[in-house]
Amino acid sequence: KWGTNRGICGRIASKAGDFDSANRSNESSLVCNKNQLALPLPAPAAEMELFVQYLFFFLAVCAAVSKALSRKDTVQVAFDTNFKGFQRNYLAVYLMAMAADWLQGPYMYALYQEYGFDRHAISGLFVAGFGSSLLFGTCFASLTDRWGRKKGVLLYGVTYMISCLTKHSPNYWVLMFGRLMGGIATSLLYSAFESWMVFQHIKHGFDKAWLSDTFSRAVLGNSIVAIISGVVADLAAERFGKVVPFDIACAVLLAMTLVVLFTWEENYGNESADLVTTFKNGIAAVRDDRRTLYLGTIQAMFEGTMYMFVLMWTPALQMATGRSELPFGWIFATFMIAVMVGSDLFVRLLKVMPIESSMRCIFLTAAAALAPPVVVPGAANVVMVGFVLFEAMVGCFWPAMGTLRSRCVPESVRSTVLSLFRMPLNLIVIGMLLTEHSIAAIFQFGVIFLLLCAALQHLLYRAMSGDRASHEVVQMDVL
């Protein structure tokens, strides 16, 4: 009932996310077609569906109980009334932007197929999107530090609307132009929005600790929006055609653009610097501050692993079960619930240890979660539980990383640095699309990346702990 298995089998995000999440659900099928799977003896499809449903409802109960306990046991934080209004406005805009992104994912690959393009041609379109994000998107994201973050958000709306409108044409080069616009939009989605929010948060004098609450709510809301968007896209495509989800996304983008136009004020990074100077300053910020360097490397490797997972979770489960037809809708919904549980776990971890310390545990857990396809590739239930655990760690990662970025990345070049962080990610994805690797090899790379993330996170923890200790010594000297 969720349509084709290429439709709803993608994942969040988060996300951002960017993570050209509009492509995620389709790319897994693209790689699945490229790999000739050596399938074990088939397992009954009904058993897998029943197991996934049990997982879904178990996680849903966990999420509900956790929320109820937090309301009962947590001492209510006295959020400023102005902060709550600011947070609601930002989250409304951000979730509309993510909804437009999610609406496009389920039927992008299927629409290209309907227009008569083969797998090679479709692969070229996807590579063009990531290449555009790598080259043009990085430049446009950097320019928002000089031209204004609000303008960057508005440009996201315009470029993504253009990308949606091109889907009405079966002409390959028109679709290619749309993918180029989509790549630019993706870079803006994962830089301009966060940069604007952090600047305004600090400008209004809100407690910096409240940033974690905004990031956590954004991840939670994005999970819910992803599920709703998948259902809406599926119903619209079945009734009116595969291009209609893109029209709905266009309408959502128009609404988002109008809200930003009339309710957001402009803010800037460094208005006086030209593009070359901005890039130089951004590179210097990463090079000269070891915390920023560690953080950027960690983000690139973790998000690269997420894209590997997005590309390969479908064939990995197909190999584990011996079935090509799986309950993709239930699996997708279970992943989203796991992300919601992870975002709530992040809030709980904040109460017992610093973010930079808890992130080490998150990366080690994520590495263990992706090990089953390498160690026990035929154990379908174990592989599925590992994937769900990995998605929960993704739910922890997004708000934690956003909070750490707000502390470590200089405000004057925030958008530039965030776009630089995404350059290795785009290179990883392009390499994945252009080369052939076995399922086990790809998950081995993912486990290695996550272990390296844990090691670098330990270095970041020591660096930030040292900075705090130095600050306390200076304060004591002054007293």
Side-chain angles (χ1 to χ4, degrees), residues 243-263:
V243 76
V244 174
F246 298 92
D247 295 334
I248 299 174
C250 195
V252 173
L253 287 166
L254 179 60
M256 181 217 75
T257 302
L258 292 175
V259 172
V260 172
L261 189 63
F262 292 109
T263 64

Side-chain angles (χ1 to χ4, degrees), residues 249-460:
C250 195
V252 173
L253 287 166
L254 179 60
M256 181 217 75
T257 302
L258 292 175
V259 172
V260 172
L261 189 63
F262 292 109
T263 64
W264 283 23
E265 59 183 72
E266 187 63 273
N267 66 52
Y268 302 87
N270 188 344
E271 296 181 66
S272 60
D274 57 26
L275 179 60
V276 175
T277 303
T278 301
F279 262 113
K280 288 181 179 179
N281 293 339
I283 293 172
V286 176
R287 182 192 63 224
D288 298 339
D289 187 344
R290 57 179 177 168
R291 300 176 309 161
T292 307
L293 178 61
Y294 293 153
L295 199 64
T297 308
I298 289 168
Q299 178 176 319
M301 288 196 295
F302 189 89
E303 291 190 11
T305 303
M306 285 195 298
Y307 268 92
M308 291 180 188
F309 175 76
V310 168
L311 291 167
M312 297 306 295
W313 72 260
T314 298
L317 284 176
Q318 288 173 329
M319 185 176 72
T321 60
R323 313 293 273 184
S324 60
E325 292 298 326
L326 294 172
F328 292 106
W330 280 106
I331 294 172
F332 176 80
T334 303
F335 286 168
M336 295 301 102
I337 291 287
V339 173
M340 294 167 61
V341 172
S343 68
D344 191 65
L345 176 61
F346 163 75
V347 175
R348 294 183 175 276
L349 287 174
L350 277 178
K351 301 173 185 176
V352 296
M353 65 179 75
I355 296 175
E356 56 270 25
S357 178
S358 63
M359 287 288 282
R360 296 177 295 182
C361 302
I362 291 170
F363 292 135
L364 290 174
T365 304
L370 290 188
V374 180
V375 181
V376 284
N381 290 351
V382 177
V383 172
M384 181 63 196
V385 170
F387 287 175
V388 169
L389 181 59
F390 176 75
E391 288 287 359
M393 294 304 99
V394 170
C396 293
F397 169 82
W398 283 117
M401 183 57 64
T403 304
L404 290 176
R405 284 195 300 256
S406 70
R407 297 178 184 176
C408 299
V409 178
E411 181 58 47
S412 61
V413 288
R414 184 177 299 277
S415 293
T416 302
V417 171
L418 294 186
S419 64
L420 290 174
F421 284 177
R422 289 184 57 81
M423 291 181 71
L425 165 66
N426 288 309
L427 289 172
I428 290 172
V429 177
I430 291 173
M432 286 282 294
L433 290 172
L434 295 178
T435 58
E436 300 268 353
H437 297 284
S438 69
I439 295 173
I442 289 175
F443 279 98
Q444 285 173 355
F445 283 127
V447 171
I448 292 171
F449 279 0
L450 291 170
L451 292 175
L452 290 174
C453 285
L456 286 173
Q457 184 64 42
H458 180 67
L459 295 177
L460 178 61

Side-chain angles (χ1 to χ4, degrees), residues 137 155-157 159-160 180-190:
L155 183 61
Y156 163 81
T159 52
Y160 231 3
L180 296 177
M181 292 293 101
I184 293 172
T186 301
S187 289
L188 293 169
L189 175 61
Y190 289 98

